Amino acid sequence: MAINTNVWIVQDKEQTASCDNKAGEALREAADILRQGGLVAFPTETVYGLGANALNTEAVSGIFQAKGRPSDNPLIVHVARETDLDALVLPYPPLAGRLMKRFWPGPLTIVLPVRPDVLSPLVTANLRTVGIRMPDHPVALELIKLAGCPVAAPSANRSGRPSPTVAGHVMEDLSGRIDGILDGGATGVGLESTVVELEGERGIRVLRPGGVTEEALRLAFPDAEIISEPESSAEPEKPRSPGMKYTHYAPKGELSIIQGQPEAVISYVNEQARQSKADGVVTGVLSFSERSSRYEADLVLDLGSESKLEEAAHRLYGALRQFDEAGIGRIWSEACLSEGIGGALMNRLVKAAGGTIIAIDK
């Protein structure tokens, strides 16, 4: 049975903070829905999240139903204050507190030891840990404060689809499936948060790259050991973090990532596009500005300059959805260097492509 999905416009950040106007009324209404066990999508600085009361198993189960998400995939819990952690997690290492002081609020999720029998077991996927973050967005923070509960929130999209960076993406995927959407305009980072877990007193293992780069972690904590999770085509049996299992962020068309020297990549993609068009397949290319005019596909989308990968990260999910809207059946994407935010960008591209990477040697 379809649900009537309310949409509230809360795009004025200064007015949102005051909470004594229409934006404030919308936030109070949305917070009431969360307390009562409903589902509300809301903007963060990364992507839109689909929120439910993390203490309420029935409410959390609604997330999995709305998204069509497998229930063995843990959820990230969002809090508005560091003191909110006291009721949710067991004592954690001093390094975790240092990470919070440096990067919260912000796009960093920290995996911590969960306090037994507090959060819904669906949130943790029955693990002894939980990923927690404090979003850097006034709408998200005010919503969590008003709701008065920790908010479990994966990305607000159907499972496997590109994550939403504007409220329209949420409407496209979840209208009629959730109770409401807080429209706070376009998100900033455009990719999900970095997820880390701690190893010993000095180890920071990056389970999922994101808005806080490994370089930023090394710069902030030169005394720590930053450990990268090795990329693998095999899916872990029990994922320790969102984004570690199942194909994610995928467009409907077949996506391949092409690596190699620029001239060889252009030649290969154009040849493939011509063959595909001859077979009646509508083609698309995801390219950086430096070369986007040289491709012969039906739709070429520009990610921005390869020297400014933050812009590419911001544009990625919208571009993948644009390919879907255009009915593109086969897509080729240029690769980028896995440095800085490029590491997170390539991670999402590889997930979206189901691991299909073609290396061009000539």
Side-chain angles (χ1 to χ4, degrees), residues 206-260:
V206 178
L207 299 180
R208 181 180 74 183
V212 174
T213 65
E214 291 188 20
E215 289 81 358
L217 290 169
R218 289 191 179 92
L219 184 63
F221 299 101
D223 58 324
E225 180 186 5
I226 311 302
I227 308 162
S228 300
E229 188 75 9
E231 289 286 350
S232 172
S233 58
E235 294 178 343
E237 286 189 14
K238 199 168 186 66
R240 309 193 303 283
S241 155
M244 295 186 71
K245 193 172 183 181
Y246 310 108
T247 298
H248 281 64
Y249 327 114
K252 295 175 183 177
E254 174 189 320
L255 172 63
S256 301
I257 301 168
I258 313 303
Q259 290 182 327

Side-chain angles (χ1 to χ4, degrees), residues 23-143:
E25 292 175 11
L27 280 161
R28 285 190 288 272
E29 186 176 345
D32 286 342
I33 289 173
L34 286 179
R35 276 195 302 274
Q36 295 165 13
L39 303 179
V40 175
F42 60 94
T44 76
E45 80 283 20
T46 57
V47 299
Y48 273 74
L50 176 58
N53 183 345
L55 309 177
N56 184 331
T57 292
E58 185 176 351
V60 175
S61 69
I63 289 178
F64 294 98
Q65 293 169 16
K67 285 176 62 71
R69 178 186 175 111
S71 60
D72 65 343
N73 219 1
L75 303 177
I76 291 172
V77 172
H78 295 64
V79 298
R81 309 173 187 86
E82 194 173 324
T83 53
D84 294 343
L85 294 177
D86 296 340
L88 305 178
V89 301
L90 298 170
Y92 47 81
L95 182 54
R98 293 172 62 198
L99 283 165
M100 295 171 198
K101 290 290 188 295
R102 173 63 182 83
F103 292 110
W104 281 9
L108 180 71
T109 294
I110 306 172
V111 175
L112 300 171
V114 67
R115 193 174 290 279
D117 304 321
V118 176
L119 294 170
S120 165
L122 289 177
V123 170
T124 62
N126 291 308
L127 297 172
R128 295 181 180 179
T129 57
V130 61
I132 298 187
R133 88 177 189 97
M134 185 188 300
D136 188 14
H137 195 290
V139 171
L141 290 173
E142 193 62 33
L143 175 67

Side-chain angles (χ1 to χ4, degrees), residues 8-10 15 20-27:
W8 304 280
I9 308 297
V10 288
Q15 288 188 353
D20 63 357
N21 45 50
K22 288 186 177 181
E25 292 175 11
L27 280 161

